[in-house]
Amino acid sequence: MSEEIFKKVVSHSKEYGFVFPSSEIYDGLGAIYDYGQNGVELKNNIRQYWWKSMVNLHDNIVGLDSAIFMHPKVWKASGHVDGFSDPMIDNKDSKKRYRADNLLEERIAKYEKDGKTNKAEELQAAMDKAILDNDLPALKALIEQHEIACPVSGTRTWTDVRQFNLMYKTQMGALAEDAEDVYLRPETAQGIFVNFLNVQKTGRMKIPFGIAQTGKAFRNEVVARGFIMRMREFEQMEMQFFVRPGTEMEWYTHWKEQRLKWHNALGANPANYRFHDHVKLAHYANAAVDIEYKFPIGFREVEGIHSRTDFDLSQHQQFSGKKLQYFDPEVNQNYIPYVVETSIGLDRMFLLTMCESFKEEQVQNGEQTETRTVLNLPPALAPVKLAVFPLVKKDGLPEMARTIISDLKYEINCQYEEKDSIGKRYRRHDAIGTPFCITIDYESLQDESVTIRHRDTMTQERVKIAALKDLILPKVSMTELLKKLG
Ligand code: GAP
């Protein structure tokens, strides 16, 4: 059933111009997607909500836009060249490659579904231990013991488990012989670390302070699925918060609370969120937690909060030979700051927003009951805030509609619609989450009033054109949403 809802969200996203498979006329490209006319507006609004809340509402957090390409040594220093990999296994008959841990997780889910709780727990514990010990032969042994077969060939002839690096490599330089290997960044965070002193010095920043950025990241995910849940090209919104060593756990708790508050302000059902502490800490972390959301296909990570210690700055100091220290006048000491990171996937937040707001409701239309598909998007995130309909395409009504749009469009994203019946126009805008629609009729020419219809309640009322802005703007503005963060 829930899988069904997820499928509906995916097809709705395509049908209404939110997300298209990349290069679709060439049958698409695995796990790469494009955002359509409504998707780009929603995505921009989510990014803006994050940026304003993190950067503009904090006087000790500033922004950055670092390049995707970075010096190759960055990735050596960060540990990504040697350690950013997944344990993979190939089936010799189908030649298909799988993540070994995913095969085991699927088997655990099956045991749980079949009521074999003990077996599920036993396998989970054995898998966690193998991952923690980086014991690849043990992972293979578990796949064999539990008789896991390739979903494509149905056979159990597996290769050994090997680590597979997720970074994309390309060349920089005109001549093949001079070309240098460079990587497409797998996270935006490293751009912040290497600019730590540039920003600190030019901005005269005092610890504790943060640097935030949004931007593309690339990972050669072998098992990329779940629509835009796991992509090979995606966007991150990350903030690195630099603190005095020894205070990092206080800040870790602070950012855990702040980030959940950010999510909750959007009005989703709080029961759909939970924290999940990491079992296996990444090489750079001394504490890490995921904020997970209950997607129709189950709880999945949306955001990570990581206490990264001084690992990254220390590594860059060592590999670059440049001091990356901060003089703290309060304690009269030089030190390498510790870092608490908040890292959220913009695409995953987009998917969360679509899943949370997608509703199919039974509504009465005269004698008939029909299904209304509506996106109950938080109004500040909606791609279109106000749809403007002339009742007919003549007699000055379209002109009046255009005049209203001209007055409002600088502050409220409006869309003009004159095709089809008013009922059909309402349905189209319900489907893209437009919070308000207004209809201009013959009376409007006399009384300077219009009928406004509210998306969620479907109620209608008559209002003066002059009152529209004051009625709509507070309900759709980002400012009101941001004020909820206090
Ligand atoms: N700098 C830390 C870092 O990159 P991460 O947990 O690997 O941490 C952070 O990624 C967030 O980026 C995740 O919580 C998720 O929302 C998003 N993300 C990671 N891989 C992704 C992928 N392949 N497709 C879409 N989003 C992804």
Side-chain angles (χ1 to χ4, degrees), residues 187 189 219 221 228-231 234 236 238 284 301-304 306 308 341 343-345 348:
E187 63 171 9
R219 296 182 188 177
E221 303 280 3
I228 54 173
M229 182 87 77
R230 193 167 292 283
M231 304 155 91
F234 59 101
Q236 290 187 313
E238 300 201 294
Y284 50 73
E301 170 191 348
V302 180
E303 170 156 12
H306 313 126
R308 291 180 78 129
E341 161 186 77
S343 173
I344 176 169
R348 236 175 251 187

Side-chain angles (χ1 to χ4, degrees), residues 207-385:
I207 270 176
F209 75 90
I211 305 177
Q213 81 164 325
T214 69
K216 291 276 182 145
F218 304 82
R219 296 182 188 177
N220 194 4
E221 303 280 3
V222 177
V223 185
R225 62 175 161 215
F227 187 41
I228 54 173
M229 182 87 77
R230 193 167 292 283
M231 304 155 91
R232 296 196 169 103
E233 173 181 339
F234 59 101
E235 192 161 340
Q236 290 187 313
M237 306 192 286
E238 300 201 294
M239 192 277 296
Q240 312 294 320
F241 200 68
F242 299 91
V243 305
R244 189 180 295 157
T247 64
E248 72 274 13
M249 291 320 287
E250 268 166 55
W251 287 110
Y252 174 71
T253 309
H254 170 86
W255 282 111
K256 255 176 87 170
E257 283 163 9
Q258 290 300 307
R259 292 305 305 149
L260 191 62
K261 198 167 167 190
W262 183 90
H263 285 275
N264 284 334
L266 290 170
N269 177 0
N272 285 343
Y273 278 102
R274 74 178 184 196
F275 283 122
H276 178 255
D277 287 311
H278 284 204
V279 178
K280 187 189 176 194
L281 290 174
H283 57 276
Y284 50 73
N286 68 358
V289 67
D290 292 334
I291 295 179
E292 293 187 340
Y293 172 77
K294 192 176 181 188
F295 288 92
I297 49 172
F299 272 101
R300 296 284 189 283
E301 170 191 348
V302 180
E303 170 156 12
I305 294 127
H306 313 126
S307 173
R308 291 180 78 129
T309 66
D310 60 354
F311 175 83
D312 302 88
L313 289 180
S314 299
Q315 287 289 103
H316 288 307
Q317 175 167 289
Q318 189 191 326
F319 277 72
S320 67
K322 310 269 163 37
K323 271 214 156 32
L324 291 177
Q325 298 196 350
Y326 171 81
F327 176 72
D328 188 334
E330 282 181 36
V331 289
N332 201 23
Q333 240 184 336
N334 268 311
Y335 56 74
I336 297 178
Y338 271 43
V339 172
V340 175
E341 161 186 77
T342 72
S343 173
I344 176 169
L346 176 50
D347 311 270
R348 236 175 251 187
M349 188 60 207
F350 182 104
L351 185 57
L352 180 164
T353 310
M354 291 297 283
C355 291
E356 181 70 26
S357 57
F358 180 85
K359 304 272 163 5
E360 286 178 316
E361 299 172 351
Q362 296 307 308
V363 291
Q364 210 59 34
N365 186 6
E367 294 291 284
Q368 302 212 313
T369 311
E370 57 179 42
T371 306
R372 170 174 99 120
T373 305
V374 57
L375 290 184
N376 293 127
L377 289 170
L381 301 188
V384 177
K385 314 293 188 206

